[in-house]
Structures are given as structure tokens and as C-alpha cells.
């Protein structure tokens, strides 16, 4: 039986009537069916991330509390390492050895690293300014940017997503993550781990669809504060 994967919006899994086949490029076999976001789901994801940042607890949580959640994601990736490695291998058409020994453990290590080290980037800093006119002290305060749209390519779906998501979460942002529509499976499996980690609703939203429709809509919306994109120059433009 072919498995079905849903979108992850506002802390819940959402199935849509529009589905796409996901193909193993090494065999041409259909390995899954995945929900595709329409305009209504994109709007829902943006609203959820915006509301969660503006009115939810995540941005104001002490770093130690955010750290616990991010470390739970790291642990969840390791607990599901075999499942994730098999998904990454079949979806991206890469050797199982590469996904088992590089992609999946590196993704977990990314969440663990930023959870354990990001606090140093958030510390307030006093800067002494001296000039011929006057001397002054300035305080540098690091604050979260807001709603971050994270767009990742097909070649290292989970690992590149982890690079982006881990940092954004540690800084107190909320995110909308869009994997490549060619290789969405491991990132949608990550949604289950995020759910189990107990993050507040709307902090992480994961949607699937073509860059031509979803990417353009996300990147042009004024409610989005930051875009992190990895991919080709043509799509970037």
C-alpha cells in the first residue's frame, strides 16, 4: 500500500484533495502520495506562523525552554533514523549508506549543536562609542526576526532543512518550511517529530507544492519577515 503524507500547519496534519505522486528517481516507482497546498493552505500557514509569533509564547520563552524543544527534535531524528534514512534514500535516489551515515545523523547533530551553542549569539552586548564630540555606551540587543520562510532543494532535503530550521527556532522565530516538491518525504516525516517535541501550534508549518505557485506566494507576502532560500539562480530570481 502506498503511504500518504499530509501538510503540517498550526500544529496539526492537514490532508488536501489535491495529491501528487512522489517517485523514486532510481527506479521510477511511485513510493508515496503527498498533499499539495492550495492558496487556502498557504494562507493558513502564513496566518498560523504570523499569529504564533505575534501572540504566542515561543518568542518570549527563555532560551533554556526553546533549547529543550530543539533537543527533543534532535533526539526524535535519531530515534527515527532508520525510517528517515530509508525515506531519504528512496526519495532522492541516493545510496542508503550516504543517508544512513551522513544525512540523518548530521541533521540530528545540527539541531543539537544550535541548541547547545546558540545562546551565545543572543547575549546583550554593551558597545563603548568614543568620539571627539562625546562618549556613549550603546546596548546591542538580539531579537527574533519574525516569520521565516525556509525553502530547501532536492539534494539534501532533511539536512538543509535542519540547518535552517534549527537556527530559526533557537532565535525565537516561527517558520514556514517548503521542501522541494520532488523530495518532500523526509521533511514531512520531520513534522511528526516536531509534533512529538511539543512546540506551540504555528511555530513550525510545513507545506508542499511547486515553487512556481507556493514559493512566489510566500516570498511576496508582507506578513513574512525573512526568506532563506537554497536552490538555483533561476528559481532564486
Amino acid at each position: 500500500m502506498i503511504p500518504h503524507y499530509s501538510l503540517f500547519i498550526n500544529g496539526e496534519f492537514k490532508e488536501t484533495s489535491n495529491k501528487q505522486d512522489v517517485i523514486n528517481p532510481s527506479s521510477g516507482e511511485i513510493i508515496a502520495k503527498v498533499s499539495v497546498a492550495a492558496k487556502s493552505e498557504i494562507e493558513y500557514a502564513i496566518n498560523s506562523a504570523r499569529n504564533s509569533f505575534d501572540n504566542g509564547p515561543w518568542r518570549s520563552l527563555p532560551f533554556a525552554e526553546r533549547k529543550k524543544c530543539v533537543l527533543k527534535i534532535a533526539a526524535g531524528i535519531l530515534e527515527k533514523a532508520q525510517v528517515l534514512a530509508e525515506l531519504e534514500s528512496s526519495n532522492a535516489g541516493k545510496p542508503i549508506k550516504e543517508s544512513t551515515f551522513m544525512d540523518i545523523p548530521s541533521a540530528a547533530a545540527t539541531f543539537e549543536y544550535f541548541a547547545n551553542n546558540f545562546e551565545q549569539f543572543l547575549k546583550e552586548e554593551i558597545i563603548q562609542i568614543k568620539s571627539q564630540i562625546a562618549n556613549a555606551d550603546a546596548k546591542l540587543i538580539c531579537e527574533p526576526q519574525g516569520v521565516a520562510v525556509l525553502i530547501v532543494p532536492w539534494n539534501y532535503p532533511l539536512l538543509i532543512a535542519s540547518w535552517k530550521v534549527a537556527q530559526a527556532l533557537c532565535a525565537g522565530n516561527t517558520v514556514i518550511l517548503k521542501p522541494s516538491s520532488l523530495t518532500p518525504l523526509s521533511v514531512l516525516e520531520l513534522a511528526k517529530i516536531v509534533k512529538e517535541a511539543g512546540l506551540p501550534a504555528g511555530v513550525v508549518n510545513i507545506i508542499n507544492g511547486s515553487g512556481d505557485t507556493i514559493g512566489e506566494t510566500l516570498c511576496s507576502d508582507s506578513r513574512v519577515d525573512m526568506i532563506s532560500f537554497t536552490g538555483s539562480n533561476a528559481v532564486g530570481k
Side-chain angles (χ1 to χ4, degrees), residues 34-170:
V34 177
S35 290
V36 177
K39 288 185 177 180
S40 58
E41 285 81 38
I42 301 171
E43 178 70 16
Y44 185 27
I46 296 172
N47 273 335
S48 297
R50 183 77 261 167
N51 183 61
S52 181
F53 182 78
D54 292 339
N55 304 308
W58 185 251
R59 64 184 293 187
S60 302
L61 281 178
F63 179 78
E65 295 301 313
R66 294 204 299 270
K67 176 180 177 179
K68 289 179 184 178
C69 292
V70 175
L71 285 175
K72 285 181 181 178
I73 296 174
I77 291 173
L78 292 178
E79 288 171 6
K80 293 189 174 183
Q82 183 176 349
V83 172
L84 289 166
E86 290 172 354
L87 282 176
E88 202 77 321
S89 180
S90 62
N91 194 182
K94 62 173 62 182
I96 188 66
K97 184 176 181 179
E98 179 178 337
S99 54
T100 299
F101 294 104
M102 199 275 279
D103 294 38
I104 308 310
S106 296
T110 297
F111 280 97
E112 185 175 348
Y113 173 83
F114 284 110
N116 289 327
N117 293 279
F118 203 86
E119 189 173 16
Q120 63 183 304
F121 301 115
L122 302 176
K123 291 180 179 178
E124 293 184 5
E125 184 179 350
I126 302 297
I127 303 173
Q128 292 185 333
I129 302 172
K130 295 183 178 181
S131 70
Q132 294 179 344
I133 301 174
N135 298 330
D137 289 340
K139 181 183 285 188
L140 177 63
I141 300 174
C142 296
E143 297 180 338
Q145 187 77 17
V147 176
V149 165
L150 313 177
I151 300 175
V152 301
W154 61 269
N155 52 346
Y156 292 95
L158 183 63
L159 181 53
I160 295 179
S162 298
W163 295 347
K164 297 177 186 294
V165 173
Q167 298 181 69
L169 293 182
C170 284

